[in-house]
Amino acid sequence: MVDCWSRLPQELLGCITKRLHSVEDFVRFGAVCKSWRLVTIQRRNYSLKLSPPWLMLVENEGNDIRGFYSLSSNKVHHLHLPEAQGRRCWGSPHGWLVTIGIDLEIHLLSPLTRAQIRVPPQTTFEDLRDPAPPPKEIRDKYIEKAVISSSPSSSSSSSGDNCIVMAIYGELSLLAFARPGDKKWTSLENCPLGFIDLIYSDGYFFALQSLGNVVKCEINGPHPKAIDFASPPPNGDFVERKYLVDLSGELHMVMRNFENIGPYSSPQSRTTDFKIYKLDSSNMQWMEVQSLGDRALFVGNNSTFAISVSDHPEFQGNCIYFTDDYSLFYEFGGGGGADMGIFNYTDHTIQSCYQGHDIISDFSPPLWISPNLW
């Protein structure tokens, strides 16, 4: 009987793999026998809907094993990942992390395959201070956020040079980008300051300033620049954290409200509410969104992204899964990571999404990433 299963046609096995629900199921499928394994290593058999997000947990000091919590299976997967040890990380929906360490080297890293692609180091940004701060301070504070345009493995090139990395950097929170293989980071010319978030959508990077203005990044010409794209939504001036997200090809802005808790000498923050606005492309005005429908959003120290719960029913629709990315309080509050949960956009309640102890870090708290085998 086992031999019969192992001799199933590859076309049939490929159809089965496309119906698998998660990366865990895909890996288990390939462990059955050699012929099934051969099917799983062919990318055409991998479903684009296969990667429900994982929560990447913080490192245990001196330990190169990293925990990833799967909400699908309610299990923590422990991966040998020395490439992420001691490094600040940013997540993405493409299965890759952006990392920086005290060596000031910056890499793209796939947690599942441990593939690593180098991009220009921090020392090649344009506005370096003289004298430079200590490497630990640079790792912790110099880059506010980094996002990637796509998976660097999505082309035939092993160098990943199809992928673009955009970063918010420096004391003035400016914009710069680089590709694997570049010698240095390229700053946008005549760029305004005070950026807090980035998103890649419809072939462009869009960047968000602290007061809610959105710019479009034109980076393909000889003079990369940021051009005005949209004014702020109403009543958003004093919201501390804002995010951009692409929902079905339309640009949205997520506003996250906090309350400060704890003593003055050791302040902390706690999320209380979210609001979401959609940009109407016909008049470039923002309209408040009353429901996310069957979608779930993932915000925090990652590119903000959404999934459909019809594809992943273990997640809750009309909800925002959030992690702690309010780095202002990391040092004073003994580290970040505690302000994490699931916000229900229907009744504005918040529930826990993970209750393990490994969530506090003073430089790289938990983040969302969609695992990918390629």
Side-chain angles (χ1 to χ4, degrees), residues 322-343:
F322 63 92
T323 60
D324 190 347
D325 66 344
Y326 202 3
S327 57
L328 176 65
F329 289 149
Y330 287 178
E331 293 182 38
F332 301 106
D339 184 28
M340 181 168 58
I342 306 170
F343 176 80

Side-chain angles (χ1 to χ4, degrees), residues 184-206:
K184 65 182 182 68
W185 287 80
T186 300
S187 296
L188 271 63
E189 298 180 0
N190 301 317
C191 187
L193 50 83
F195 289 97
I196 57 174
D197 197 41
L198 293 164
I199 193 70
Y200 186 78
S201 172
D202 195 28
Y204 292 92
F205 285 99
F206 293 88

